Amino acid sequence: MKIIVLKFGGTSVGTIERIKKVSKIISKFNKKYGVIVVSSAMSGVTNNLINLSKKISKNFSVSEYDVLVSSGEQMSCALIAAELINKGFNSRSWMSWQIPINTEGKHKFSRINKINKTQILSYLKKGGIPIITGFQGINNKNRITTIGRGGSDASAIMLAKFFNAEKCIIFTDVDGVYSTDPNKLRSAKKIKVISYEEMLEMASLGAKVMQPHSIQDARLNRVNIEVRSSFNDKKGTLITKRNKIINNKIITGITSTTNDAKVTLLGVRDKPGIAASIFKPLSENSINVDMVVQNISANGKQTDLTFTIKSEDLNKTKKIISQNNKIHFRDLIFDKNVSKVSIIGVGMVTTPGVTFRMFQSLAKQKINIQVISTSEIKISVLINKKNVQKAILSLHKEFKLNI
Ligand code: ASP
Ligand code: MG
């Protein structure tokens, strides 16, 4: 029996009408495959549950948080299964603990490490359609866990891995992955095939289509993913191995972020160990430092150091740096008006001159680059937020993503 995993996101199951549509999609696939369905909570439900927890306490117990917020998935799965039963199919819901889907790690951020196949396999063999809760699991202390916001993607991918599914289809409210956010740029084009590596960079750098963790899981386990819409029949985007892709474009996609902040320390003493003493307390407080530049000091004594963090960590960072008596500096500057714009593509590995073309294209638009960082398959620049739209438009043209 060929198995396929179908995952439905919050908006795809957001209303009863949509749940009916979803059950039609499921019944179509059921003709050809053993179908495993994974569902997220109806849109808005998880947020509401989190808000309830905040009304009890800011320090709401993490184990009860997982019990609470995972309940949204119980609701949507029961609705889908019951609709299928109504239509004459053999279907039932499964909470993750009933399977069980085992997790390890901390509450709120657990990771799936094992899935018992016995019950689901025998149910599939009898022609049943199992509807499984995404986002949740059970740990070795017999407690319910969750695996991070947007975690149903990872649930679906791990199910596809353990059941050796032919493919995992992620149904969402957009019909695939685009060269850049189609809400920002009308000429954005749907990408037909993209590698795990590129998708991982795109998701981490601001494309909101899939949860980054889940793409990493798919890459490690070689699970083929298709991202498509549950609202229409259009072909989606295939996410797969790099060597399966023939691509004539140098750049695959462009992303921008909305939640970065820039920190600059002016007049820091230029001697060994200073950068370490600035970043150590930040890392100890789980503050993720992203881009870093240090200027060469003109006089050999003092230098300026700039780095970026997530804007939600700004206040914590201010406090930590001001209280750090190991470092001396003349001034401390914070700037929230920044955005990281990135171009991503495996094509740049073999093509010289990509950096130059990116910088030249931004220079023509008189856009000032504040910080630069690169990896094998991406180049990121930090620019003023007001220039993001202009930057994306010019880069999209420069790398011919609009044709
Ligand atoms: N319902 C969960 C959330 O909103 C999991 C998911 O949507 O994938 O984060
Ligand atoms: Mg979701």
Side-chain angles (χ1 to χ4, degrees), residues 243-287:
N243 60 11
K244 278 196 187 160
I245 303 173
I246 311 160
N247 192 354
N248 49 11
K249 290 212 162 77
I250 303 167
I251 297 304
T252 307
I254 303 171
T255 58
S256 65
T257 59
T258 49
N259 61 343
D260 281 305
K262 185 177 74 167
V263 182
T264 304
L265 283 88
L266 292 173
V268 186
R269 211 173 293 157
D270 193 14
K271 62 169 198 189
I274 286 296
S277 39
I278 294 170
F279 293 130
K280 190 176 169 216
L282 294 178
S283 86
E284 282 167 351
N285 283 280
S286 309
I287 292 170

Side-chain angles (χ1 to χ4, degrees), residues 65-350:
Y65 172 96
D66 281 350
V67 177
L68 177 69
V69 303
S70 62
S71 64
E73 273 69 16
Q74 172 158 349
M75 186 172 136
S76 53
C77 285
L79 289 168
I80 299 170
E83 167 63 9
L84 286 165
I85 294 166
N86 246 352
K87 287 274 159 351
F89 293 93
N90 184 10
S91 183
R92 66 156 277 197
S93 62
W94 253 281
M95 304 302 101
S96 298
W97 61 266
Q98 294 174 306
I99 296 178
I101 295 180
N102 296 104
T103 63
E104 58 188 5
K106 291 186 188 148
H107 277 289
K108 282 183 162 184
F109 304 105
S110 295
R111 302 293 300 268
I112 295 170
N113 59 358
K114 219 177 82 207
I115 298 177
N116 186 318
K117 290 167 40 175
T118 325
Q119 293 179 67
I120 302 294
L121 265 187
S122 71
Y123 191 66
L124 284 170
K125 277 184 192 140
K126 285 188 298 195
I129 309 175
I131 317 293
I132 300 174
T133 51
F135 184 48
Q136 50 166 274
I138 185 167
N139 66 16
N140 59 9
K141 296 195 181 79
N142 204 22
R143 296 301 310 257
I144 287 177
T145 56
T146 61
I147 60 173
R149 292 304 307 269
S152 304
D153 287 343
S155 305
I157 281 157
M158 293 311 271
L159 280 157
K161 174 209 155 156
F162 279 95
F163 286 88
N164 221 339
E166 187 177 290
K167 195 157 63 169
C168 175
I169 307 184
I170 305 280
F171 284 94
T172 172
D173 49 5
V174 292
D175 43 57
V177 183
Y178 277 76
S179 55
T180 193
D181 185 349
N183 296 317
K184 290 210 177 98
L185 195 69
R186 283 232 311 274
S187 57
K189 286 269 176 316
K190 197 194 300 175
I191 301 167
K192 286 194 185 110
V193 200
I194 186 171
S195 66
Y196 298 116
E197 291 80 3
E198 289 167 311
M199 192 61 225
L200 188 58
E201 291 280 14
M202 297 232 346
S204 318
L205 293 167
K208 290 187 195 72
V209 196
M210 273 187 79
Q211 192 212 34
H213 259 320
S214 66
I215 301 161
Q216 179 71 341
D217 287 338
R219 187 177 77 86
L220 292 173
N221 298 302
R222 299 293 175 211
V223 174
N224 287 320
I225 310 171
E226 188 188 336
V227 178
R228 57 186 282 186
S229 167
S230 63
F231 305 157
N232 60 49
D233 285 335
K234 287 185 195 152
K235 242 178 135 38
T237 299
L238 178 68
I239 308 170
T240 188
K241 266 193 255 182
R242 214 195 267 199
N243 60 11
K244 278 196 187 160
I245 303 173
I246 311 160
N247 192 354
N248 49 11
K249 290 212 162 77
I250 303 167
I251 297 304
T252 307
I254 303 171
T255 58
S256 65
T257 59
T258 49
N259 61 343
D260 281 305
K262 185 177 74 167
V263 182
T264 304
L265 283 88
L266 292 173
V268 186
R269 211 173 293 157
D270 193 14
K271 62 169 198 189
I274 286 296
S277 39
I278 294 170
F279 293 130
K280 190 176 169 216
L282 294 178
S283 86
E284 282 167 351
N285 283 280
S286 309
I287 292 170
N288 200 6
V289 173
D290 180 20
M291 307 167 97
V292 184
V293 276
Q294 185 185 331
N295 293 336
I296 296 173
S297 65
N299 57 8
K301 289 184 188 129
Q302 285 185 339
T303 180
D304 302 336
L305 184 81
T306 297
F307 57 91
T308 64
I309 50 170
K310 292 285 155 248
S311 25
E312 72 242 26
D313 290 333
L314 199 53
N315 286 336
K316 223 161 128 194
T317 303
K318 266 184 203 173
K319 218 169 133 196
I320 292 170
I321 294 182
S322 317
Q323 288 170 353
N324 187 342
N325 52 23
K326 287 218 178 82
I327 48 173
H328 302 279
F329 49 86
R330 199 172 61 243
D331 207 357
L332 186 57
I333 307 170
F334 298 99
D335 186 358
K336 271 190 169 186
N337 269 322
V338 291
S339 172
K340 182 164 74 161
V341 172
S342 310
I343 58 173
I344 296 124
V346 290
M348 70 173 76
V349 178
T350 48

